Amino acid sequence: MKNQSGNTHWVDLHTHSTASDGSLTPPRLIASAKNAGLVGLALTDHDTGNGLLEAAAAAAEAGLRFVPGIEISAEFPHPGTMHLLGYFIDPISPALKRMSQILLEGRNSRNPRIIARLNELGCHITMDQVQAIARRGVTDDRPVVIGRPHIAQALAESGCVASVKQAFDVYLGTTGQAYFDKERLTRKQAIDCIHDAGGLAVLAHPVQLRLGNPAELENVVSNLVEIGLDGIEAWHSDHRPQDSEMILSLARKYKLVPTGGSDFHGNSKPDIALGLGRQNIRVPEAVLDELETAWRNRRNRQRAAAAGQPEAVHDGK
Ligand code: AMP
Ligand code: ZN
Ligand code: FE
Ligand code: FE
């Protein structure tokens, strides 16, 4: 959509808040989106929907289109990582609560192992320090999801490494000395969980799968489509223009909704601005329009199926 002077409106469909490893609280994130001139935003915290209601209320007040979202991990061979974005999930659905609980248990068993290994390696940080970092800016006792960026920050602040980047390169990245995988959902479980929570399932930043070539990516994508994938993230801070082009052509071929966002985290990724990813990635509002249409279509098909009109579910994706 364009405004009256013919300029494109922009959105950001991949962002994190203090509910996970972003540094802005949900209301501050919305205020920043408004300041940045965006017309729409999706909040996609890791493994939790805890920031969604607050962000939705702030967005309504600011006159910003808001998409309640989540980002979860699924099993994928080392050293790649597979993240799935859930869009238009219902923030109060029991399915979201269940999914979140499973994912948080996986984190709770992994984070202490990482810290114990770091201590063995001579980096003396504690879980309390990491927790305090994760709670910066959070003024009440709501739960926050603790992730590797918080541990990276603790390492940098303790002087064990020179920067967050070095913390990932040496210790926390998938090939780092203190890396432990967390228990993950299978791909089918992850997609089903997102659907059960009322959302659309989108493959995030496909380059992070670290596949050798486009044919391998196509293979993975076509398998995901068979188990219900709805969309694929074409524009992302880790994507070069040629990556986005290649992913867009896959989206067209498999009738997937192409999505995009900066993966804004605030302080822990200072080179990424809200609505303006690395490589100056920006996402036009029409992408949000298409995503919303796909979600409404899916929801209508589900409702028709639930009301006993099975023919309505066979009309394509
Ligand atoms: P976790 O959810 O705890 O596995 O941590 C995932 C977060 O770590 C995401 O925000 C990633 O973008 C971030 N991350 C993963 N690898 C790196 C890296 N090499 N440098 C900086 N951030 C990273
Ligand atoms: Zn993150
Ligand atoms: Fe991700
Ligand atoms: Fe992300």
Side-chain angles (χ1 to χ4, degrees):
M1 232 178 269
K2 302 196 174 192
N3 63 18
Q4 282 171 348
S5 52
N7 297 323
T8 304
H9 283 153
W10 305 101
V11 299
D12 193 334
L13 301 179
H14 190 155
T15 70
H16 297 267
S17 76
T18 46
S20 68
D21 55 7
S23 61
L24 297 185
T25 60
R28 285 195 57 211
L29 183 69
I30 296 295
S32 299
K34 190 76 186 169
N35 272 342
L38 299 180
V39 298
L41 186 98
L43 175 58
T44 53
D45 274 312
H46 300 283
D47 300 352
T48 184
N50 277 349
L52 295 177
L53 290 177
E54 209 184 357
E61 199 162 311
L64 205 69
R65 291 174 74 180
F66 179 68
V67 182
I70 195 164
E71 181 174 25
I72 66 178
S73 311
E75 284 176 3
F76 198 74
H78 187 84
T81 47
M82 179 180 281
H83 288 176
L84 289 159
L85 293 156
Y87 284 121
F88 291 104
I89 54 169
D90 175 355
I92 57 168
S93 69
L96 173 60
K97 266 207 184 96
R98 272 198 308 276
M99 160 164 72
S100 210
Q101 178 132 15
I102 296 170
L103 297 166
L104 295 181
E105 279 164 16
R107 281 180 186 275
N108 289 342
S109 63
R110 176 190 69 164
N111 288 337
R113 292 172 76 195
I114 295 180
I115 289 170
R117 172 61 56 84
L118 287 167
N119 288 174
E120 278 166 26
L121 292 166
C123 292
H124 297 290
I125 60 163
T126 64
M127 197 63 208
D128 282 352
Q129 268 172 286
V130 174
Q131 250 152 6
I133 287 169
R135 301 200 71 80
R136 273 184 198 154
V138 181
T139 51
D140 53 26
D141 59 358
R142 73 184 73 183
V144 298
V145 171
I146 295 178
R148 284 178 290 158
H150 301 126
I151 303 176
Q153 214 159 327
L155 285 172
E157 289 178 16
S158 73
C160 194
V161 293
S163 63
V164 164
K165 182 183 180 317
Q166 196 184 22
F168 273 97
D169 289 347
V170 180
Y171 296 112
L172 302 172
T174 52
T175 54
Q177 296 174 50
Y179 179 74
F180 288 95
D181 209 354
K182 53 183 183 283
E183 245 184 84
R184 292 167 196 275
L185 302 177
T186 65
R187 297 170 205 181
K188 172 94 171 75
Q189 282 171 329
I191 290 174
D192 286 351
C193 279
I194 290 170
H195 285 162
D196 289 346
L200 288 180
V202 172
L203 176 63
H205 42 59
V207 297
Q208 289 186 17
L209 299 170
R210 299 218 212 171
L211 294 168
N213 58 57
E216 283 180 42
L217 174 60
E218 177 160 0
N219 197 20
V220 171
V221 167
S222 80
N223 287 334
L224 289 172
V225 168
E226 277 171 28
I227 56 173
L229 189 73
D230 304 289
I232 188 165
E233 193 171 50
W235 302 278
H236 182 271
S237 289
D238 289 351
H239 292 184
R240 301 164 301 173
Q242 61 267 43
D243 297 320
S244 297
E245 274 309 308
M246 186 262 292
I247 294 163
L248 272 176
S249 71
L250 270 181
R252 280 191 286 270
K253 181 165 174 185
Y254 289 91
K255 297 194 167 44
L256 293 167
V257 188
T259 70
S262 65
D263 212 349
F264 176 81
H265 280 68
N267 292 344
S268 75
K269 296 187 185 182
D271 54 336
I272 298 176
L274 195 52
L276 188 66
R278 292 188 200 109
Q279 323 239 13
N280 291 336
I281 283 200
R282 290 204 291 178
V283 180
E285 188 181 18
V287 172
L288 172 51
D289 294 336
E290 196 185 338
L291 182 67
E292 189 166 344
T293 300
W295 170 65
R296 287 189 195 288
N297 289 342
R298 181 167 214 289
R299 198 182 50 168
N300 290 343
R301 284 198 306 275
Q302 270 176 329
R303 284 183 179 166
Q309 299 160 358
E311 69 279 7
V313 287
H314 297 307
D315 62 348
K317 265 185 55 55

